[in-house]
Amino acid sequence: MRPTAAAVRPLTTRYTPRHFNGQGVRLSARPRALPPHTRGILTLKDHVYFAKCTAEGSGRKGGLVKSFGDQPVEFKMDMPKVAGGKGEGLNPEQLFGMGYASCFLGSLQLMAARAGKKELGEKAKVHTKVFLGHPENPDTEGFGLRVEICVEGIDDDNIIAAAHNFCAYSRALTEGCEVTVLKV
């Protein structure tokens, strides 16, 4: 099976509301009340789950990450070989990509079921590519991410668009998410 057209076209977050035209997600223009490089933040009125995770040690270069919960997990971290590491552990981009793929798949399955096409969702696969790189803006320090999502097994553009609108990872990246940094 091949990825749909939606999977191979870049997604953009400049406008809303979203619609799907068979060539990838295209967003219709809306009046802008915010300055050009500002966007709102999606906030939560409550929560149904939270994940507690800890990173320690050398961070990306041989550190350790742990997640506590029903099924605690622990991973050794390392930089990829192409980035100067030994490649002997996972990296944050891999973990992010796995989480995004899983969340998007769950969203696809829900949207397929709502559309009366549950069997499509059961056969679907989601592939993610997470790119770490330097921002185009030379005044921005550090790194940025770019994500590609490839949907396999579902050709229905409306289901894919609905899943993208519903997925918590997609929302965090397109609508923003509240982040609080605290000292302990």
Side-chain angles (χ1 to χ4, degrees):
M1 297 182 178
R2 332 177 7 225
T4 68
V8 296
R9 292 222 185 316
L11 303 176
T12 179
T13 60
R14 294 178 199 202
Y15 307 99
T16 193
R18 297 183 192 130
H19 68 274
F20 221 72
N21 67 8
Q23 298 299 313
V25 173
R26 293 291 175 252
L27 307 173
S28 44
R30 71 174 162 97
R32 283 198 158 289
L34 302 172
H37 296 292
T38 305
R39 66 177 177 182
I41 298 294
L42 184 140
T43 57
L44 304 179
K45 69 177 180 178
D46 61 10
H47 70 271
V48 295
Y49 173 78
F50 79 95
K52 181 180 177 187
C53 304
T54 302
E56 58 187 52
S58 302
R60 293 179 68 102
K61 296 181 181 182
L64 194 66
V65 292
K66 301 175 188 178
S67 179
F68 309 92
D70 296 341
Q71 292 290 318
V73 294
E74 184 174 302
F75 296 111
K76 179 181 175 189
M77 304 299 286
D78 198 7
M79 296 282 287
K81 287 182 182 181
V82 297
K86 295 180 182 177
E88 295 177 350
L90 296 176
N91 61 65
E93 294 74 37
Q94 288 174 302
L95 296 173
F96 182 83
M98 289 188 290
Y100 202 160
S102 177
C103 187
F104 201 94
L105 179 61
S107 297
L108 272 173
Q109 291 168 339
L110 178 62
M111 294 303 119
R114 285 184 179 176
K117 300 177 180 180
K118 185 177 179 182
E119 70 286 349
L120 290 180
E122 293 170 353
K123 297 176 185 177
K125 289 184 183 179
V126 174
H127 310 275
T128 57
K129 294 179 183 177
V130 178
F131 300 86
L132 177 70
H134 297 96
E136 283 188 19
N137 181 346
D139 296 329
T140 303
E141 290 189 73
F143 292 100
L145 295 178
R146 180 171 58 89
V147 180
E148 289 180 7
I149 300 171
C150 295
V151 176
E152 181 180 341
I154 295 183
D155 289 330
D156 188 319
D157 292 346
N158 292 322
I159 292 173
I160 295 169
H164 182 57
N165 286 331
F166 187 85
C167 174
Y169 278 72
S170 292
R171 283 185 176 168
L173 295 178
T174 60
E175 298 178 33
C177 69
E178 190 173 0
V179 176
T180 305
V181 179
L182 305 169
K183 292 191 317 185
V184 181

